[in-house]
Amino acid sequence: MGFIGGLLGALFNALNKSLTIHRMRCLIPKGKIFRIIEAILVAMVTTTVAFVAAMTLGECKKLPVAPSQLNAENASASTISDSVRTYFCPVGTYNDMATLFFNPQEVAIKQLFHQEGAFSMPSLGIFFLCFFFLACWTYGTAVPSGLFVPCLLCGAAYGRFVATVLVNVLGYNKIYSGTFALVGAAAFLGGVVRMTISLTVILIESTNEISYGLPIMIVLMVAKWSGDLFNEGLYDIHVELRQIPLLGWEAPHNVGRLKAKHVMNTDLSFIFPHTRVQSIIQILRTTQHHAFPVVTIDTKSEEDLPTQEDMLTMQNIQYRVCY
């Protein structure tokens, strides 16, 4: 699951990179109005896909029977059962596809983690494919869209789909689908963002299960290795596309042999504590940077004076403040 999650994450990053490049070349130069139109189009397509998928492809499943007396352990399970969506289903049943689409993403993740046998295999597969491409299209638009929660939901659907295949096709009945949902969420999110230790801590704290620490870490490492075979993490891709000056994890090749004289400029531009405005303007016009060292010199001996070729320095020295 970790290897496949890394491949899915690499595919997600490759598609989103292509969309971002197209957006930067064709959409952003045209103005803000086109970005707003794109956001409206994304909202319309997402709503249409959710309604059509829930109406035509969702399956009606029986509601779980709530116990007459609830204790502290099954109170949370009852709360999850109350969040299902009936959506065009008969009384006493609920629509599994509508439960995934029309609930908040946090509630849908809890459903996938804790609700056993609540979703059919076709519904999980269709929801994963639809949500995969919708999340890939949404990230990067002119809306405050996140990445962690959508990737967790998409990966949880992938993990539940694998668990359902093992139960219904291969006959493995002694497995807990919520564990596969957690592993799938970790695999897909690790394949997208390529985080390991920090993401392990986040998932352990969110699930409050320290016993899953080692499996989650192994899954994240495998997902990162398989994804790195094709491209970088999504955050690194966007940093590179937007040309943000950020140091990478590794130094460039053969940079260890460089010396300071190889990268520094010998023709240094500097200013004195008392400098004419004309000299500062001339420095700003003849240089491409805006940070200059402020130096002082000892003018008692002629040897310490600058050469006649440095006209700018001579202008600075001739300006003396008398007290």
Side-chain angles (χ1 to χ4, degrees):
M1 289 185 65
F3 184 79
I4 298 177
L7 296 181
L8 292 174
L11 177 61
F12 186 94
N13 294 352
L15 293 176
N16 186 264
K17 180 180 179 180
S18 300
L19 288 173
T20 304
I21 293 175
H22 177 75
R23 189 180 289 120
M24 295 174 64
R25 290 178 178 177
C26 304
L27 194 63
I28 295 179
K30 294 182 179 180
K32 297 181 180 180
I33 186 64
F34 287 91
R35 301 206 66 185
I36 297 175
I37 293 175
E38 184 196 16
I40 296 174
L41 180 62
V42 170
M44 293 176 59
V45 172
T46 302
T47 305
T48 303
V49 170
F51 273 93
V52 172
M55 186 182 302
T56 59
L57 303 175
E59 295 187 10
C60 295
K61 304 176 74 68
K62 292 184 179 181
L63 287 170
V65 179
S68 57
Q69 296 180 350
L70 297 176
N71 51 29
E73 295 181 356
N74 56 17
S76 60
S78 177
T79 303
I80 295 173
S81 301
D82 295 338
S83 62
V84 296
R85 304 300 182 203
T86 55
Y87 197 73
F88 293 106
C89 285
V91 179
T93 60
Y94 69 95
N95 191 314
D96 58 351
M97 185 76 73
T99 301
L100 294 174
F101 269 117
F102 297 147
N103 272 323
Q105 295 183 8
E106 295 82 1
V107 177
I109 292 174
K110 292 181 179 179
Q111 289 274 356
L112 292 170
F113 280 0
H114 303 291
Q115 194 78 348
E116 186 71 20
F119 307 99
S120 62
M121 185 167 59
S123 297
L124 290 171
I126 295 172
F127 173 79
F128 171 76
L129 292 177
C130 294
F131 202 84
F132 180 91
F133 291 105
L134 289 175
C136 183
W137 185 18
T138 304
Y139 186 75
T141 56
V143 293
S145 60
L147 183 66
F148 263 64
V149 177
C151 287
L152 285 176
L153 179 56
C154 195
Y158 154 65
R160 280 295 291 264
F161 179 81
V162 174
T164 307
V165 170
L166 293 177
V167 172
N168 297 340
V169 179
L170 302 180
Y172 289 93
N173 296 323
K174 296 182 180 180
I175 62 174
Y176 181 57
S177 301
T179 304
F180 281 82
L182 175 61
V183 173
F188 185 77
L189 184 57
V192 172
V193 300
R194 311 292 165 78
M195 295 181 181
T196 53
I197 299 176
S198 59
L199 193 55
T200 303
V201 175
I202 292 173
L203 293 175
I204 291 176
E205 290 181 351
S206 61
T207 57
N208 198 21
E209 286 290 343
I210 191 64
S211 59
Y212 292 137
L214 182 59
I216 291 176
M217 186 175 296
I218 295 175
V219 168
L220 289 174
M221 292 297 295
V222 174
K224 183 184 184 313
W225 289 337
S226 61
D228 287 341
L229 297 175
F230 299 95
N231 49 35
E232 297 178 331
L234 189 59
Y235 292 145
D236 298 328
I237 290 175
H238 279 263
V239 166
E240 183 180 355
L241 289 176
R242 299 181 185 277
Q243 297 181 354
I244 299 176
L246 183 66
L247 292 177
W249 291 104
E250 298 180 358
H253 185 62
N254 292 332
V255 74
R257 299 181 179 179
L258 292 178
K259 297 182 179 180
K261 64 180 182 180
H262 296 150
V263 295
M264 298 297 293
N265 188 5
T266 56
D267 186 13
L268 183 63
S269 298
F270 54 90
I271 61 176
F272 294 95
H274 304 286
T275 307
R276 292 180 178 180
V277 177
Q278 181 181 1
S279 301
I280 297 177
I281 295 176
Q282 182 179 357
I283 292 175
L284 293 175
R285 288 177 176 177
T286 56
T287 56
Q288 297 181 353
H289 56 278
H290 302 86
F292 307 95
V294 180
V295 299
T296 58
I297 61 174
D298 186 9
T299 60
K300 294 181 180 180
S301 61
E302 297 181 356
E303 297 179 355
D304 295 333
L305 291 176
T307 60
Q308 295 293 333
E309 297 178 357
D310 194 347
M311 299 302 299
L312 178 59
T313 304
M314 291 301 300
Q315 292 178 2
N316 291 330
I317 295 176
Q318 291 173 3
Y319 179 75
R320 303 294 297 274
V321 177
C322 298
Y323 296 93

